[in-house]
Amino acid sequence: MFDETIVAVSTAFGEGAISIIRLSGSEAINIVNKVFKGKNLMDVKSHTINYGHIINIEDGFAIDEVLVSVMKSPRTYTAEDIVEINCHGGIFVTNKIMELLLTLGARVAEPGEFTKRAFLNKRIDLTQAESVMDLIQAKTEESLNVAVNALDGRVSKLIKNLREEVLSLIASIEVNIDYPEYDDAIVISKKILKPSIEEIIKKIDEILEVAKTGKILRDGIKTVIVGRPNVGKSSLLNKLMREEKAIVTEIAGTTRDLIEGYINIAGITLNLIDTAGVRDTEDVVEAIGVERSKKVINEAELIILVLDNNEVLTKDDIKLLEITEHKKRIILINKVDLESKIEKNKIDNYIETSMLDDDSIIKVEQKIKEIFELGDFKTKDLTYLSNSRHIAKLNNAKNSLTESLISIENEMPVDMIEIDIKDAWIFLGEILGEEVGDELINELFSKFCLGK
Amino acid sequence: MYDIIVIGGGHAGCEAALAPARMGLKILLVTAKISKIAHMPCNPSIGGPAKGIVVREIDALGGEMGRNTDKSHIQMRLLNTGKGPGVQALRAQADKVDYPKNMQTTLLNQQNLTIIEEMVDDLIIEDKKIIGVLLENREKYFAKAVIITAGTYLQAKIMLSNEKWSSGPDDEKPSLNLSDNLRNLGFETLRLKTGTPPRVAIDTIDYSKTEIQRGDMEYHAFSYDTTDYKPLENQVPCYLTYTNLDTHEIILKNLSKSSMYGAIENIDSKGPRYCPSIEDKIVRFNDKTRHQIFLEPESIHIPEIYVQGFSTSLPKDVQDIMIHTIKGLENCRIVRYAYAIEYDAIDPTQLWATLESKLIENLYFAGQVNGTSGYEEAAGQGLMAGINAALKIKGKAPFILKRNEAYIGVMIDDLVTKGTQEPYRLLTSRAEYRLLLRHDNADMRLRDYGYKFGLIDKSRFQKFTNKKAKIENELNRLSNIKILPTNDVNNYLNSNESAVLKDSITALNLLKRPEISYCNIMDLLNEETLLTKAEIQQIEIQIKYEGYIKKTISLVEKMNKLEDKKLSVDIDYLKIPNLALEAKTKLNKIKPLTIGQAKRISGVNPSDISILLVYLESYRKK
């Protein structure tokens, strides 16, 4: 049996209506359970399918509505505990869930690893040993090609620099341990350590922030357009469609929420959430009720709330304004070509539009950029970390550094504090695919003048 | 006929001869001069970070270096006291006369051990097994195993400026033929280099211009069994002074006269980065305006001072001029000049982790001949080679220390798995589980082994088991004692700058607070402790650093899963088609004993390990 729990997306990436994320290992159920809202997976029976949501740990918001299959050892493909998460097929959602699972301690499966485990746990016949070895070899070559392209040159430089900063911090601590009497080996006090670590954490945050932007640009923004009937929602949609900005439309719906279409505005993809079955009535609130619209709104990353300039605010309008208050939203006061009856003094930060007007679309575009702090990013010359494994490792590194700050607070000796700093260094190395070799010792002797 | 022949009486040779003799085998030690056994040709100190812990490990296993240092030192200090327990270590200034003398007495009095003064010329091999040695006087001695601890003597040459001549350290006779004969047997050798600084006459130094560095005014001992301490007031201090820009100018002006900077052509031997010559320091770190020079007494019996930090291969006249620029040494007289030495070592990847060679059965190598540097590294290997040779003769399982068990294990694993390009020195940063490999717990880690092999006698072992039991009982007791939030307790905590209690707490949990010591707990409980300082230290470390220790242990458990998967030495990796070419070659050369070791070979990738695991499973079944 193997110690580590592995995870991989087992369906073709980015396409298809549904993605399956598969985990195998002793911690599989426990890890998924930590981000699953629904039944307690630790208690469910083996070989059951469970409905629920994957929740973002940071803010508690639902990332996706999912079906989770729990299969307990030994009657599984790998003979270990296996969990499969059926989520919605978009890259964004899939990546986000992967990132969560990796941060919680799962590790990306090596090429062919599920099969390897199946073999080593004696689920696959001995005669297949050779084909398993072939598979590992083939998949390794394949994944090497992918891995080389996965990390943007500039990101890898950023992380390399970061890692060197961490290494130099470690080296300063180490040199003082191995050569306590040397001039060069200044005592690394907490006073020196704390700001340096905080600085590195800040830089990691910046990369993570940019990564987020990168993801937004690449994977799109989950967007929902809400408003009462006849305020102009479909005109807006139609206008966008007419401009032929839609990339894909109409993925067949089932009973669950699906992406209705992707609309590209100034290089930013808006993934419009279909509010399942309410298209005909055009009225979210009326058709599905406030509770349900709250849920749709919760899951969205951007709300476009359309109000009618020609009417006073209704109870439903006010409700919508309230429930979208803490979300990233754009308020459109539509139909400005008609007489203004709406109480504009009750609304902040709105855009006045007339859906027949091209200027209105430009205003919306600018607002989106402003909200997501996208500035003048152009998709093609982006420096961002898009791989969820990388993001998870970066998060791990950050967590380790944060731990080391706690050790500093607790007045721990410097070599204890260093344990977590070293972990951070290892995590950063894993992003770059660099193993821990003699680097540290090389750093010691190139940087410091030591010895008898 | 002997059981084991040990070639060389340095620090490796002493342990390699003593351990199997104590295990009841008949040992012959062949050494050039009995009076030079356990001689210290370079610096006069034993211990320091990592190395000091090795000395304790040697002692825990039943070796001699720790006990001998306790008998023979003139100063001792505990280093890194301001840091955590994982990196503290003892360092002693050993007396260069007393240390060898005391060790010689031990060896000469050791049962089962015969010592002869001779040099070995060749090895007698039969059917890929060693059966004896041929001496330079053409005499033959036979044995079941041979341990080579030849130090830096193999084709050693001393270099000073533009001169280079055949000589061992301190003008001793080098071994001329042995390394050629090893190469003829198929061993690959490395050419390594090291150096030693000048010694100056003690009465020509003006110490008033230097900074004094005294030993600790506290009793320390390397050995867990030492009870007789030398009087603290008899300790001899070291002194600190510095080079200056004048020194640097002279060195730079004369640089071309240094052996290493062109005076001798085509030097391809590799010197250690951690032991640079003064000319290296000045060239490589040219922005530094001074370098530290430690003046260390060599012995109370000889009036010579070791000038640490000043090793060089510049000619004697330049050495005189440059040393006179240094504060306190303006009028000093050099009694022995610095020199560089190069020598042959074998590539240690040709050894199993038992230090037995892969090429020739029953032939072991230990110490500097394996490419290491330092007395402690040598002694640690000598002990392990001695134990393993004895175990093999007795038909018992080999003794391999894991990386989580001892610095000795880290060192040997590094040597046989990764090899070395320069003289290898142990550093704390080489140990990934160093929080477990502490100076205070070497006995807890290793004494059971020493007892099992017969190197630790009953009474010494009893002392250890008592200590262990006392610690366990006390930990247990503390976890059961509840301290109540009474006024007295809270007043006491308040006066010790510790937060007052609201609820009751176990003594153990209270001790977790960084500001609370075991003594504080005893105060609170109104008790006099019956524990020794070392026992209290164990308790405090185990409680206060529990979280960190647990974290390290979980890493160890992960590693050990891979260490438990054994690889047969008969596997021909070239025949496993899916392995990468580099992995095949490396694996075939190293012949790792476990998957864990295979993983540590540079050039073996995770996918190679996956393939190996699958291969291993099908191989095991077939």
Side-chain angles (χ1 to χ4, degrees):
Chain A
M1 282 292 187
F2 299 86
D3 234 27
E4 293 167 305
T5 294
I6 52 172
V7 59
V9 181
S10 59
T11 44
F13 217 50
E15 297 145 24
I18 284 175
S19 285
I20 298 175
I21 297 173
R22 180 198 265 175
L23 297 93
S24 178
S26 53
E27 284 293 299
I29 301 173
N30 187 24
I31 289 174
V32 176
N33 198 40
K34 284 182 189 162
V35 288
F36 182 73
K37 202 173 154 194
K39 279 187 195 159
N40 184 350
L41 298 178
M42 304 301 280
D43 299 336
V44 302
K45 279 189 184 152
S46 184
H47 295 76
T48 54
I49 297 176
N50 305 277
Y51 168 83
H53 289 84
I54 298 291
I55 305 292
N56 194 356
I57 309 175
E58 281 168 35
D59 51 21
F61 284 135
I63 293 171
D64 199 10
E65 193 178 23
V66 295
L67 290 175
V68 172
S69 315
V70 174
M71 290 157 279
K72 290 184 184 166
S73 169
R75 282 177 46 234
T76 69
Y77 178 61
T78 56
E80 304 170 334
D81 286 350
I82 284 188
V83 178
E84 287 181 355
I85 303 170
N86 287 250
C87 62
H88 294 115
I91 297 171
F92 179 82
V93 167
T94 315
N95 270 343
K96 185 69 203 171
I97 296 175
M98 277 293 277
E99 198 184 302
L100 273 177
L101 299 172
L102 293 170
T103 309
L104 286 171
R107 147 172 96 62
V108 174
E110 286 163 18
E113 197 170 5
F114 286 94
T115 309
K116 182 185 95 183
R117 290 191 174 195
F119 174 80
L120 292 177
N121 293 328
K122 300 173 189 64
R123 288 286 296 175
I124 296 183
D125 195 83
L126 202 58
T127 55
Q128 293 175 30
E130 266 175 37
S131 54
V132 175
M133 287 197 268
D134 284 341
L135 175 83
I136 294 170
Q137 187 189 12
K139 289 235 174 175
T140 300
E141 278 159 19
E142 182 189 306
S143 73
L144 275 181
N145 288 331
V146 177
V148 169
N149 298 325
L151 199 58
D152 179 281
R154 272 188 283 170
V155 187
S156 94
K157 206 169 167 203
L158 276 178
I159 292 175
K160 232 182 205 136
N161 290 342
L162 213 54
R163 187 163 184 255
E164 265 159 32
E165 273 179 57
V166 176
L167 176 62
S168 127
L169 212 55
I170 297 170
S172 329
I173 298 173
E174 290 287 305
V175 74
N176 192 246
I177 289 170
D178 272 315
Y179 293 92
E181 289 156 326
Y182 272 81
D183 261 359
D184 262 17
I186 49 158
V187 178
I188 296 299
S189 65
K190 290 153 196 175
K191 259 192 202 137
I192 302 175
L193 219 46
K194 200 175 162 205
S196 309
I197 294 170
E198 284 168 343
E199 183 64 29
I200 295 168
I201 292 178
K202 211 177 108 198
K203 286 182 184 166
I204 291 180
D205 278 338
E206 279 165 18
I207 297 180
L208 284 171
E209 198 51 44
V210 176
K212 225 190 255 169
T213 312
K215 275 170 100 55
I216 287 168
L217 288 177
R218 209 184 71 161
D219 301 335
I221 302 164
K222 213 170 174 184
T223 309
V224 63
I225 303 176
V226 291
R228 286 186 294 107
N230 300 319
V231 293
K233 293 198 303 285
S234 46
S235 314
L236 172 63
L237 202 61
N238 290 338
K239 175 82 181 167
L240 295 170
M241 300 287 180
R242 259 204 321 276
E243 301 280 312
E244 290 181 77
K245 282 175 176 169
I247 306 164
V248 187
T249 51
E250 293 298 331
I251 293 171
T254 58
T255 54
R256 289 181 278 162
D257 298 343
L258 282 180
I259 303 297
E260 183 185 43
Y262 301 90
I263 295 168
N264 194 326
I265 294 184
I268 306 154
T269 307
L270 299 191
N271 304 333
L272 292 179
I273 300 176
D274 175 14
T275 44
V278 295
R279 259 170 298 170
D280 295 340
T281 69
E282 264 199 17
D283 188 346
V284 176
V285 181
E286 193 175 283
I288 59 177
V290 176
E291 280 313 304
R292 180 97 169 97
S293 37
K294 253 190 199 165
K295 187 177 154 293
V296 173
I297 285 164
N298 256 345
E299 285 172 18
E301 293 165 294
L302 175 66
I303 317 293
I304 300 179
L305 170 55
V306 189
L307 302 170
D308 189 340
N309 184 46
N310 197 224
E311 288 179 46
V312 292
L313 287 170
T314 68
K315 217 172 103 191
D316 284 343
D317 284 334
I318 290 166
K319 234 172 230 165
L320 283 172
L321 279 167
E322 273 169 14
I323 59 181
T324 58
E325 200 183 340
H326 299 294
K327 299 288 291 187
K328 288 185 171 157
R329 68 173 177 190
I330 298 175
I331 300 168
L332 303 183
I333 296 184
N334 199 23
K335 305 182 187 173
V336 286
D337 43 333
L338 300 179
E339 188 196 342
S340 181
K341 292 181 185 163
I342 195 164
E343 304 93 316
K344 289 184 188 168
N345 58 342
K346 289 189 179 170
I347 311 159
D348 285 337
N349 210 359
Y350 51 85
I351 300 175
E352 296 186 332
T353 58
S354 159
M355 281 310 159
L356 302 170
D357 182 4
D358 281 344
D359 281 353
S360 302
I361 298 293
I362 293 171
K363 280 189 208 161
V364 173
E365 286 175 7
Q366 275 168 348
K367 190 72 184 174
I368 291 173
K369 282 190 181 175
E370 194 188 304
I371 287 177
F372 288 93
E373 294 164 16
L374 297 177
D376 284 327
F377 273 116
K378 291 265 159 48
T379 347
K380 56 180 176 185
D381 58 24
L382 251 191
T383 297
Y384 64 86
L385 207 56
S386 58
N387 183 311
S388 41
R389 187 182 77 92
H390 296 159
I391 294 175
K393 294 278 178 209
L394 209 51
N395 274 320
N396 291 145
K398 183 186 159 183
N399 291 343
S400 295
L401 290 172
T402 311
E403 286 275 311
S404 75
L405 287 178
I406 296 172
S407 298
I408 291 177
E409 285 309 311
N410 288 340
E411 304 275 321
M412 283 294 161
V414 71
D415 46 306
M416 302 286 171
I417 298 167
E418 194 205 350
I419 292 175
D420 288 310
I421 305 179
K422 254 189 181 158
D423 280 350
W425 180 56
I426 291 169
F427 284 127
L428 291 174
E430 284 171 351
I431 297 176
L432 300 167
E434 283 172 12
E435 295 245 349
V436 179
D438 287 336
E439 250 178 293
L440 173 57
I441 285 162
N442 294 341
E443 172 89 3
L444 282 183
F445 292 115
S446 62
K447 206 166 154 188
F448 302 101
C449 183
L450 305 161
K452 59 186 179 181
Chain B
M1 176 86 180
Y2 288 91
D3 286 312
I4 299 171
I5 296 172
V6 178
I7 307 173
H11 303 282
C14 289
E15 304 289 351
L18 284 172
R22 288 169 176 162
M23 290 164 80
L25 299 183
K26 254 182 84 185
I27 312 299
L28 175 69
L29 173 64
V30 184
T31 185
K33 274 187 202 158
I34 290 175
S35 64
K36 288 283 181 179
I37 283 177
H39 179 60
M40 308 171 83
C42 202
N43 65 328
S45 80
I46 286 180
K51 288 161 169 273
I53 301 175
V54 169
V55 180
R56 286 221 142 178
E57 290 172 352
I58 292 170
D59 183 70
L61 287 168
E64 201 58 32
M65 182 173 249
R67 294 206 282 189
N68 204 59
T69 309
D70 289 345
K71 281 183 235 168
S72 323
H73 68 277
I74 52 180
Q75 187 200 103
M76 212 183 278
R77 290 174 65 189
L78 182 61
L79 302 178
N80 284 335
T81 47
K83 306 185 186 93
V87 296
Q88 292 177 6
L90 283 173
R91 190 184 58 205
Q93 296 299 132
D95 188 301
K96 275 196 178 181
V97 173
D98 291 343
Y99 187 93
K101 215 168 70 191
N102 288 329
M103 186 63 92
Q104 286 156 21
T105 308
T106 304
L107 262 71
L108 290 167
N109 291 323
Q110 177 62 47
Q111 265 188 351
N112 302 328
L113 175 60
T114 309
I115 307 174
I116 56 168
E117 286 190 331
E118 255 304 332
M119 296 283 275
V120 169
D121 203 51
D122 202 356
L123 307 173
I124 307 170
I125 313 286
E126 211 178 77
D127 202 16
K128 292 248 158 203
K129 280 185 189 170
I130 192 153
I131 54 164
V133 299
L134 174 70
L135 303 184
E136 281 185 353
N137 67 8
R138 310 329 283 170
E139 263 185 280
K140 287 179 181 173
Y141 282 90
F142 293 92
K144 294 174 189 156
V146 171
I147 304 173
I148 298 182
T149 58
T152 59
Y153 281 75
L154 295 186
Q155 286 184 355
K157 285 187 174 154
I158 283 182
M159 292 178 283
L160 187 60
S161 187
N162 57 358
E163 290 174 83
K164 186 170 180 177
W165 67 95
S166 180
S167 169
D170 275 353
D171 296 327
E172 294 294 315
K173 210 176 132 200
S175 164
L176 295 173
N177 295 330
L178 195 53
S179 58
D180 280 336
N181 289 327
L182 287 169
R183 276 186 288 269
N184 288 338
L185 286 170
F187 284 97
E188 286 169 31
T189 57
L190 317 161
R191 195 75 179 152
L192 299 177
K193 185 188 76 186
T194 185
T196 196
R199 318 297 201 266
V200 298
I202 191 165
D203 53 3
T204 61
I205 300 172
D206 181 359
Y207 282 130
S208 68
K209 294 179 177 171
T210 64
E211 298 161 28
I212 191 162
Q213 297 201 309
R214 295 180 200 279
D216 288 350
M217 288 310 279
E218 192 180 345
Y219 290 114
H220 296 302
F222 276 107
S223 174
Y224 289 99
D225 304 305
T226 293
T227 44
D228 284 346
Y229 294 94
K230 303 186 88 178
L232 294 172
E233 60 278 15
N234 291 357
Q235 292 189 95
V236 185
C238 296
Y239 295 87
L240 172 61
T241 181
Y242 298 93
T243 63
N244 53 51
L245 292 175
D246 291 342
T247 331
H248 300 187
E249 198 190 317
I250 292 165
I251 292 170
L252 287 174
K253 216 168 73 190
N254 289 286
L255 200 59
S256 62
K257 294 180 190 165
S258 164
S259 311
M260 304 305 151
Y261 284 87
I264 297 178
E265 278 175 22
N266 301 326
I267 296 178
D268 49 11
S269 50
K270 279 268 197 162
R273 284 171 297 177
Y274 47 80
C275 218
S277 64
I278 186 70
E279 45 268 42
D280 279 344
K281 290 183 193 177
I282 285 159
V283 171
R284 285 181 48 213
F285 297 92
N286 59 8
D287 55 330
K288 289 199 72 169
T289 54
R290 65 176 199 179
H291 293 275
Q292 287 163 308
I293 301 292
F294 294 92
L295 303 173
E296 301 181 17
E298 297 231 307
S299 164
I300 49 169
H301 309 289
I302 35 173
E304 288 181 14
I305 296 297
Y306 178 92
V307 187
Q308 203 231 85
F310 213 60
S311 83
T312 178
S313 59
L314 282 161
K316 292 179 179 175
D317 57 333
V318 179
Q319 288 190 28
D320 278 326
I321 301 169
M322 63 197 222
I323 207 168
H324 289 150
T325 59
I326 295 172
K327 265 193 187 170
L329 299 177
E330 293 91 342
N331 299 308
C332 78
R333 180 167 52 84
I334 297 181
V335 289
R336 281 185 293 153
Y337 286 88
Y339 60 84
I341 184 166
E342 61 172 32
Y343 55 95
D344 284 344
I346 64 148
D347 173 355
T349 60
Q350 300 167 100
L351 305 176
W352 302 117
T354 56
L355 299 178
E356 184 181 358
S357 79
K358 294 170 187 170
L359 279 171
I360 307 291
E361 204 182 333
N362 300 329
L363 176 61
Y364 295 75
F365 289 84
Q368 271 184 287
V369 71
N370 285 344
T372 60
S373 89
Y375 311 137
E376 306 83 351
E377 285 90 340
Q381 291 171 67
L383 178 64
M384 294 302 283
I387 293 173
N388 272 302
L391 290 173
K392 190 166 181 202
I393 289 169
K394 292 176 167 205
K396 291 190 177 157
F399 176 46
I400 297 168
L401 284 168
K402 291 193 184 132
R403 297 184 74 89
N404 62 306
E405 286 184 298
Y407 270 97
I408 296 175
V410 171
M411 167 176 65
I412 294 177
D413 183 64
D414 278 349
L415 289 172
V416 303
T417 310
K418 295 180 187 152
T420 187
Q421 304 297 320
E422 63 181 333
Y424 175 98
R425 177 197 162 131
L426 263 177
L427 297 162
T428 66
S429 33
R430 295 195 196 270
E432 52 279 67
Y433 316 114
R434 84 177 161 206
L435 185 51
L436 305 181
L437 308 184
R438 299 190 310 268
H439 136 102
D440 60 271
N441 71 351
D443 54 345
M444 300 291 155
R445 293 184 271 130
L446 303 170
R447 198 133 258 205
D448 283 329
Y449 292 123
Y451 179 65
K452 190 172 109 189
F453 301 137
L455 294 170
I456 298 289
D457 63 30
K458 267 227 165 80
S459 72
R460 283 167 84 187
F461 190 63
Q462 190 66 51
K463 203 176 135 190
F464 160 71
T465 48
N466 285 347
K467 173 180 170 186
K468 211 166 132 181
K470 271 167 83 185
I471 293 166
E472 272 164 27
N473 292 341
E474 184 64 0
L475 281 170
N476 202 12
R477 190 178 78 98
L478 291 179
S479 68
N480 286 319
I481 293 178
K482 280 244 185 308
I483 294 180
L484 303 170
T486 61
N487 280 341
D488 282 352
V489 166
N490 279 338
N491 284 339
Y492 181 87
L493 290 175
N494 222 348
S495 66
N496 282 283
E497 286 172 20
S498 191
V500 296
L501 297 180
K502 287 192 183 115
D503 300 306
S504 71
I505 184 173
T506 65
L508 193 122
N509 279 334
L510 189 58
L511 187 50
K512 277 188 182 154
R513 294 184 175 183
E515 69 279 5
I516 294 294
S517 70
Y518 181 79
C519 290
N520 293 137
I521 301 286
M522 290 300 107
D523 283 351
L524 278 170
L525 299 176
N526 261 327
E527 287 180 25
E528 291 283 331
T529 181
L530 299 170
L531 301 184
T532 65
K533 228 173 92 183
E535 288 155 358
I536 291 171
Q537 193 190 16
Q538 280 297 311
I539 286 167
E540 287 186 339
I541 291 170
Q542 285 187 39
I543 292 176
K544 289 187 184 295
Y545 303 112
E546 193 192 8
Y548 299 93
I549 292 172
K550 274 193 178 153
K551 208 167 176 173
T552 311
I553 288 175
S554 76
L555 289 176
V556 168
E557 282 168 354
K558 222 162 130 183
M559 171 193 71
N560 279 345
K561 289 245 159 87
L562 296 173
E563 295 299 324
D564 289 343
K565 295 193 194 303
K566 306 284 183 228
L567 287 167
S568 157
V569 300
D570 300 325
I571 299 173
D572 182 358
Y573 294 93
L574 296 174
K575 287 190 180 148
I576 304 179
N578 305 74
L579 288 175
L581 187 64
E582 190 186 2
K584 285 181 188 176
T585 327
K586 290 265 177 73
L587 287 164
N588 248 15
K589 185 178 179 193
I590 308 288
K591 295 270 180 200
L593 299 176
T594 65
I595 289 282
Q597 193 191 352
K599 206 176 166 203
R600 289 191 291 274
I601 300 171
S602 64
V604 175
N605 297 316
S607 59
D608 297 317
I609 296 296
S610 287
I611 287 164
L612 268 185
L613 283 169
V614 173
Y615 175 81
L616 198 65
E617 181 67 14
S618 55
Y619 180 90
R620 196 174 62 79
K621 285 274 189 66
K622 270 174 194 167

